[in-house]
Amino acid sequence: MDLHLSGRSALVTGASKGIGLAVVRTLLDEGARVVAVSRRTSPELEKLARPELVHVAADLMDPEAPARVVARAVEEFGGLDILVNNAGGPPPGVSLPRTSFLDASDADWPAMFEFNLFSAVRAVRAALPHLLADGGGAVVSVSTGLARQPAVGNAEYGAAKAALTNLTKVLSEEYAPQGVRFNTVSPGAVRTAWWTEEGGAADIIAAMAGSDRDTVMDTLAPQMMNVSTGRLVTPEEIADAVALLVSPRSGSTTGADFVVDGGYLKAV
């Protein structure tokens, strides 16, 4: 299916690995031009090098960074059609899951909101004038199933993402008449660095359960989360949903939350 993305310009945050990297790769394969934003590049991102891809190093915990990267995207490609707010998860130096609500300090809460909510707020604020000037466009923000099905141990993360999901609904109401669509994609547990890196979620759960990291990712985590498919989601599965939502072929889809979680979310 042709998604009609050829020649469109996109900005993707958190683009050096995991879901963001998969989104960059998918959009490039569909013919889009992409500004990929991350603190630093990665060997995997560098393998995608081509004229249609520009990497911009930025730390989105810096309040000035979103406006700078949007300006760079417009400078590179002459406009902006697509914004993918993917950067999120544990802020630098933080590991999840926690064992209790009480484990998060006063400093942990604003840091989590800064990374998962306010960076997206600032990116949208910077991108909107360009999206409107070009006659419309699409914004997809990566939320989480935890925004709708809370889980013990990730209180501040789930709260920040719930706010992002709510914000997306609000923005969809205001800007749909002007041609800008806003949607979220809510993954479940995705096999990304959050799980796979040393000291990540798989290691934390393995230590608590007396298991090992591979068993956690292959068996224990899907069982603990009651995932219907019995496995973690792949980044490519999230990227496919993002690509469809930013496509003109989803022109009547706005204010939606696309759940890609292997059956984690059970609510009707």
Side-chain angles (χ1 to χ4, degrees):
M1 180 171 68
D2 183 1
L3 294 180
H4 301 164
L5 293 175
S6 182
R8 293 181 181 266
S9 57
L11 189 154
V12 180
T13 65
S16 64
K17 57 187 177 181
I19 293 171
L21 178 68
V23 170
V24 170
R25 183 185 297 113
T26 300
L27 293 180
L28 289 171
D29 288 347
E30 292 293 331
R33 301 171 296 169
V34 181
V35 167
V37 179
S38 59
R39 289 184 181 85
R40 60 190 66 85
T41 189
S42 66
E44 294 81 7
L45 184 60
E46 290 172 356
K47 288 180 182 177
L48 300 178
R50 63 196 74 178
E52 295 80 19
L53 174 63
V54 176
H55 176 255
V56 177
D59 181 358
L60 295 180
M61 296 289 281
D62 173 3
E64 304 299 323
R68 287 200 302 268
V69 299
V70 167
R72 178 69 182 279
V74 173
E75 177 186 346
E76 289 287 341
F77 300 136
L80 187 65
D81 303 302
I82 296 163
L83 170 64
V84 180
N85 289 312
N86 167 71
V94 174
S95 296
L96 295 179
R98 302 186 189 279
T99 57
S100 169
F101 161 77
L102 295 175
D103 291 341
S105 69
D106 274 1
D108 290 322
W109 278 85
M112 190 68 73
F113 272 71
E114 190 71 39
F115 194 34
N116 288 277
L117 176 64
F118 298 139
S119 67
V121 168
R122 294 175 181 125
V124 169
R125 186 186 295 132
L128 261 172
H130 303 288
L131 296 170
L132 292 168
D134 291 342
V139 178
V140 171
S141 296
V142 177
S143 185
T144 175
L146 297 175
R148 294 168 58 185
Q149 186 163 304
V152 173
N154 297 294
E156 76 272 34
Y157 174 69
K161 289 296 194 180
L164 180 64
T165 298
N166 181 276
L167 172 67
T168 299
K169 296 279 189 181
V170 173
L171 293 170
S172 72
E173 281 292 302
E174 181 171 356
Y175 289 101
Q178 300 172 66
V180 183
R181 297 181 297 107
F182 287 84
N183 295 287
T184 51
V185 172
S186 288
V190 184
R191 204 177 187 103
T192 63
W194 178 332
W195 287 86
T196 61
E197 284 185 345
E198 185 175 353
D203 285 341
I204 293 171
I205 294 172
M208 291 189 293
S211 184
D212 62 85
R213 63 200 330 268
D214 289 335
T215 300
V216 167
M217 288 186 284
D218 294 340
T219 305
L220 188 57
Q223 289 176 348
M224 290 170 57
M225 298 177 68
N226 194 21
V227 174
S228 302
T229 59
R231 65 171 177 83
L232 301 187
V233 181
T234 69
E236 291 73 23
E237 289 170 320
I238 307 302
D240 288 344
V242 171
L244 179 61
L245 284 171
V246 301
S247 164
R249 301 196 70 151
S250 294
S252 291
T253 303
T254 191
D257 180 36
F258 267 46
V259 176
V260 186
D261 66 0
Y264 165 73
L265 185 65
K266 308 298 184 186
V268 175

